[in-house]
Amino acid sequence: MEASVEQLVYVREDEYTVARMSADGMPDFVATGRALAGVQPGETLRVLGDWSRHARYGQRFAVAECERVTPSSVRAIRIYLGSGLIRGIGPRLAYAIVDHFGEATLKVIDAEPERLTEVVNIGPLRQAQIVQAWQDQKAIAALMVTLQGLGVSPLLAAKIYQVFGQDADEILATDPYRLIGQVRGIAFRIADKIALQSGVPERSPQRVKAALLDRLEAAGSRDGHCYVPLAALVRETAELIEQDQDLIRPMVDALVAERRVVVEMAPDQPGQVVAYAKHVHSREVALTEQLTRLVRARSTLPLRVFRDDPGLHEDQRAAVNMALTSTVSVLTGGPGCGKSHTVKAIATTVRAAGGTVTLTAPTGKAAKRLSELTGLPAMTVHRMLAHQPDPDPETLFEETPAQADLIVVDEASMLDLHLATRLVSAVPTGSHLLLIGDSDQLPSIGPGDVLADLLRVMAIPRVQLTHVFRQAGGSGIIDAAHRIKAGRMPVTPGRGGFWFEEVDDPEQVARRVAHLAMVAIPRKQGVEPDQVQVLCPMRKGETGATALGRLIQDQLNPAADDKAEHWAGASVFRVGDRVMPIRNNYDKGVFNGETGTITAVVREERMVDVRTDDGESVRYAFDELDDLTHAYAISVHRSQGSEYPFVVAPIVAESGGIMLRRKLLYTLVTRAKAWVVLVGQREALELAVHRLGHRRHTGLSRRLSLSLEPA
């Protein structure tokens, strides 16, 4: 039968979709199945399937096959145009257009679009907008059919079209490997599936090169490595494409000749040959050169003598002297050791002498926290570099804008290789750079381990704060953090702040975490649920951030007839949702880690309005929603640089507990200010405490040590 999609009810990660549909001459009904993947409200479908009765949900239509068709009846056309699928047309304008043109409406839009101006409130500008949106929607629908024929999710069609536009079909047919890295959600396996279906030979150089580059990129994005041992790269590539290793090595040489890969002896492992992606190698070399420039520079700081402050501990005074006398230095320490108070003393001393200071951090929340703790203004690294375009690594960052006499970077463990290179290249010769961080926290999401690498370079001055101050020493959170850092199990103290609740079954863990976050802690502490943050070691699984976030969203902000919403893949964004950007957007002025609330879903404009916690209003187009994620439950990595009054987290050994390790647990616990509650399996907690994790493959420390050796 033919029916119109009225509403998406539910979409699972595996694309199983539940939709409410309507057809002429029959009551609305519920349709289900993976064949519905990617459908949108307003579309008319020709569906084939079977009626069945679900014990809980009643009669449903299980869809086996689904085909998009052009709506033909006045009612179906009105639903289609009023759904927001065509940007610029809302329900009211849809009625006006259909009332004027009747069943010929879509033919007019397609073949005689100039006639749209016959309708009241449609002028030349809106007419052009509607025509463009109509053409885009037709192209995306055709692309969805193409992808389904290739055995690939149709949900990717809009993303591919957004990047490649009218060239999308040609890219799919001739060079699908171009999709990798340019279209979010498409890695080698999907592009390779398209390529093989399109007739690309299994042993083609094009395929082997794409697989090699994919393995290099995956090593950086998944494990944070800057390089991969060449033997391992060849082996993993051969396994990925199921070919002999003899086929792989010549393609490595070809990529080297094309300047896309660098092969050299490992900087930190003598005798081992390794491979870098060219852009990663360029940045590692550039960061080495820029740090060497700063270390060897003659200081231009107005004051380099510190007047003793009796209010500082001995190691804090050492840190102040270091920052004032060294052009590059590192300050580390755990929670409660007075890093922020030390920063305030350093900044105050420099300013009193007439110098300028910039306090900065990788995320907005970290910068705001630094400002609150020191009483001094702070900004994000991205805002400091906002007027500095990401430079070409081949130019070695010739432009160096004037900044402050002293630049302080807090939460430096979050700096990946790319951001660190941009930051260091912007520091003027003679200015001082002080990096502050906790080396026991998780390293950056991106490739590199900059803070840890600098701590391995003996020529870089460093001070570690170890004294825990009395007011912090009574905190159960800080006690738990220091026990975890020492490889000991945290204990539930009588004084509060840290609590472990043992629950074995993952499903019960998920329910308990959700209940604590939504009901128990808000009720007991007299706070709103948005003061409680759920942090998850994993993204997938019953206790992962995706499943827990949806569970909490359904309870705190359920669907309602008077509440606008929009489904993007398996995520539904509705008014009132808590969200956070997952990538920096300089044009919008939002940065990774900030949080906000959806205030409007404007279907006719295909836009979502977000009000950030700082009071800024930001607009996201529907095709930009990949840049947003829900903030009800987030990964521990995404929480870096932030603090929350209350934290609740599941600790279970799902999927072997591959993410459970000491630095992750330590980072998780130190995100809480008042209370942190862990719920889960004792053996999983023990695993996290004792597992150290891998060391990232980076060459920065060795390159920098060699560069700074005395002549």
Side-chain angles (χ1 to χ4, degrees):
M1 61 185 160
E2 285 191 10
S4 298
V5 181
E6 296 280 350
Q7 179 188 15
L8 292 178
V9 178
Y10 185 76
V11 182
R12 268 191 338 218
E13 287 276 301
D14 63 359
E15 300 181 357
Y16 177 86
T17 301
V18 180
R20 184 168 59 83
M21 304 188 70
S22 64
D24 291 336
M26 63 181 295
D28 289 3
F29 63 94
V30 172
T32 65
R34 290 187 180 87
L36 294 172
V39 302
Q40 290 291 316
E43 289 186 311
T44 297
L45 311 175
R46 183 176 293 121
V47 291
L48 175 69
D50 296 293
W51 290 103
S52 63
R53 178 164 291 278
H54 191 278
R56 180 177 176 185
Y57 298 110
Q59 190 176 46
R60 310 173 81 166
F61 189 75
V63 179
E65 297 179 23
C66 168
E67 177 188 358
R68 287 169 175 79
V69 297
T70 303
S72 55
S73 70
V74 168
R75 177 180 173 279
I77 294 171
R78 189 175 285 131
I79 293 172
Y80 177 71
L81 292 182
S83 67
L85 271 173
I86 306 300
R87 185 176 180 183
I89 302 179
R92 189 172 299 175
L93 187 56
Y95 266 82
I97 295 172
V98 178
D99 283 349
H100 188 79
F101 295 114
E103 292 182 355
T105 296
L106 299 184
K107 292 180 181 178
V108 169
I109 295 175
D110 195 43
E112 302 176 272
E114 66 280 357
R115 292 188 59 197
L116 283 170
T117 55
E118 297 174 13
V119 180
V120 176
N121 292 329
I122 297 184
L125 288 178
R126 176 163 284 191
Q127 181 257 358
Q129 181 187 40
I130 292 171
V131 170
Q132 183 60 57
W134 167 258
Q135 296 297 334
D136 290 345
Q137 195 59 37
K138 280 179 60 180
I140 291 170
L143 202 55
M144 293 177 93
V145 174
T146 300
L147 292 176
Q148 283 181 311
L150 294 170
V152 176
S153 169
L155 293 176
L156 296 169
K159 299 177 185 179
I160 295 173
Y161 186 79
Q162 183 184 0
V163 175
F164 295 106
Q166 299 295 332
D167 296 329
D169 282 318
E170 183 181 351
I171 298 296
L172 289 176
T174 62
D175 192 8
Y177 296 110
R178 282 184 60 189
L179 301 173
I180 301 171
Q182 295 195 57
V183 180
R184 187 170 173 81
I186 296 186
F188 176 81
R189 291 189 184 278
I190 292 177
D192 192 47
K193 188 173 185 178
I194 296 171
L196 294 176
Q197 290 279 353
S198 301
V200 174
E202 290 186 353
R203 296 174 63 85
S204 71
Q206 179 190 25
R207 183 176 187 237
V208 179
K209 290 178 186 178
L212 279 163
L213 293 172
D214 173 79
R215 291 299 83 197
L216 278 176
E217 292 296 331
S221 60
R222 181 192 63 212
D223 299 319
H225 296 313
C226 291
Y227 67 76
V228 178
L230 183 58
L233 175 63
V234 171
R235 183 182 66 253
E236 291 174 11
T237 303
E239 292 172 354
L240 178 64
I241 61 176
E242 299 179 342
Q243 298 294 326
D244 296 333
Q245 293 188 23
D246 292 344
L247 179 68
I248 312 301
R249 184 54 208 257
M251 292 302 103
V252 176
D253 297 336
L255 288 171
V256 171
E258 295 169 12
R259 296 175 56 82
R260 300 168 75 186
V261 169
V262 174
V263 173
E264 64 180 23
M265 301 302 293
D268 56 344
Q269 298 184 42
Q272 186 176 61
V273 181
V274 301
Y276 283 81
K278 173 63 176 174
H279 67 95
V280 175
H281 183 269
S282 296
R283 280 169 170 77
E284 191 173 272
V285 171
L287 181 55
T288 301
E289 293 175 351
Q290 295 298 322
L291 282 167
T292 300
R293 170 181 65 84
L294 294 181
V295 171
R296 289 179 172 170
R298 183 176 180 178
S299 172
T300 58
L301 199 66
L303 173 72
R304 295 193 298 277
V305 178
F306 171 55
R307 294 181 180 178
D308 196 17
D309 183 346
L312 296 178
H313 188 266
E314 180 181 351
D315 53 7
Q316 289 179 305
R317 290 197 294 272
V320 175
N321 275 309
M322 174 188 70
L324 296 176
T325 57
S326 303
T327 49
V328 177
S329 57
V330 180
L331 173 62
T332 65
C337 292
K339 294 194 297 294
S340 299
H341 188 65
T342 306
V343 171
K344 185 174 183 178
I346 295 168
T348 301
T349 302
V350 172
R351 287 180 171 179
T356 56
V357 179
T358 296
L359 301 185
T360 185
T363 69
K365 281 195 171 182
K368 185 176 180 181
R369 180 165 149 256
L370 178 63
S371 180
E372 290 171 348
L373 291 172
T374 62
L376 301 169
M379 68 179 73
T380 66
V381 175
H382 303 92
R383 289 191 190 280
M384 188 180 77
L385 301 173
H387 301 296
Q388 282 292 107
D390 193 7
D392 182 347
E394 297 300 322
T395 68
L396 294 181
F397 314 97
E398 292 171 358
E399 297 101 355
T400 304
Q403 292 289 339
D405 297 309
L406 169 67
I407 296 175
V408 179
V409 185
D410 197 15
E411 298 286 355
S413 62
M414 298 177 65
L415 292 175
D416 65 12
L417 180 65
H418 305 303
L419 183 57
T421 306
R422 289 193 64 203
L423 167 68
V424 175
S425 70
V427 179
T429 301
S431 290
H432 286 218
L433 174 65
L434 173 62
L435 300 175
I436 302 174
D438 187 341
S439 57
D440 293 301
Q441 287 189 22
L442 284 170
S444 59
I445 295 177
D449 199 357
V450 175
L451 179 64
D453 281 342
L454 292 186
L455 290 171
R456 297 185 186 106
V457 179
M458 298 310 297
I460 302 290
R462 83 287 311 275
V463 167
Q464 181 179 13
L465 303 180
T466 58
H467 177 74
V468 178
F469 289 87
R470 183 176 301 174
Q471 67 271 23
S475 164
I477 294 171
I478 291 178
D479 178 71
H482 284 280
R483 290 180 69 89
I484 291 166
K485 184 168 68 171
R488 295 184 291 156
M489 285 283 284
V491 295
T492 299
R495 60 183 175 270
F498 173 84
W499 186 264
F500 172 61
E501 185 172 321
E502 190 169 356
V503 179
D504 283 332
D505 180 58
E507 185 179 344
Q508 292 181 14
V509 170
R511 288 201 299 265
R512 180 58 177 161
V513 166
H515 178 75
L516 284 165
M518 294 185 296
V519 180
I521 292 177
R523 181 187 296 158
K524 184 172 183 178
Q525 300 294 332
V527 298
E528 294 298 319
D530 63 7
Q531 295 294 295
V532 185
Q533 182 62 58
V534 174
L535 300 182
C536 301
M538 307 269 292
R539 187 179 67 83
K540 298 182 179 180
E542 284 184 284
T543 59
T546 300
L548 264 171
R550 175 169 282 188
L551 177 62
I552 296 171
Q553 179 193 26
D554 288 344
Q555 295 295 316
L556 290 182
N557 193 31
D561 290 340
D562 61 347
K563 192 182 295 180
E565 65 179 34
H566 174 73
W567 284 85
S571 298
V572 59
F573 294 89
R574 59 176 67 107
V575 173
D577 274 341
R578 295 284 295 163
V579 293
M580 66 188 304
I582 59 175
R583 64 180 67 181
N584 303 314
N585 188 311
Y586 301 102
D587 293 333
K588 296 183 189 298
V590 295
F591 301 100
N592 187 1
E594 297 178 348
T595 50
T597 302
I598 294 178
T599 56
V601 177
V602 189
R603 290 194 184 96
E604 56 265 38
E605 295 299 323
R606 300 186 64 77
M607 292 281 185
V608 167
D609 290 338
V610 176
R611 188 166 187 80
T612 69
D613 290 348
D614 292 332
E616 300 293 327
S617 295
V618 185
R619 265 213 152 175
Y620 282 87
F622 282 180
D623 57 13
E624 295 178 311
L625 290 178
D626 269 352
D627 288 355
L628 281 183
T629 188
H630 291 90
Y632 297 109
I634 61 175
S635 69
V636 179
H637 264 107
R638 296 231 173 269
S639 74
Q640 285 180 268
S642 299
E643 271 194 346
Y644 311 94
F646 304 93
V647 167
V648 186
I651 303 292
V652 299
E654 279 191 290
S655 304
I658 57 175
M659 296 300 294
L660 293 176
R661 55 190 185 274
R662 187 180 298 171
K663 284 193 173 186
L664 182 139
L665 182 62
Y666 176 84
T667 304
L668 188 163
V669 168
T670 54
R671 297 311 89 201
K673 290 192 284 189
W675 272 92
V676 58
V677 181
L678 308 183
V679 181
Q681 304 155 345
R682 183 167 294 276
E683 61 269 26
L685 182 59
E686 291 174 348
L687 177 67
V689 168
H690 297 299
R691 182 189 280 169
L692 294 178
H694 67 269
R695 177 173 169 177
R696 294 184 169 188
H697 296 324
T698 72
L700 178 62
S701 60
R702 181 60 178 163
R703 291 185 200 279
L704 195 54
S705 295
L706 290 172
S707 179
L708 294 176
E709 282 184 353

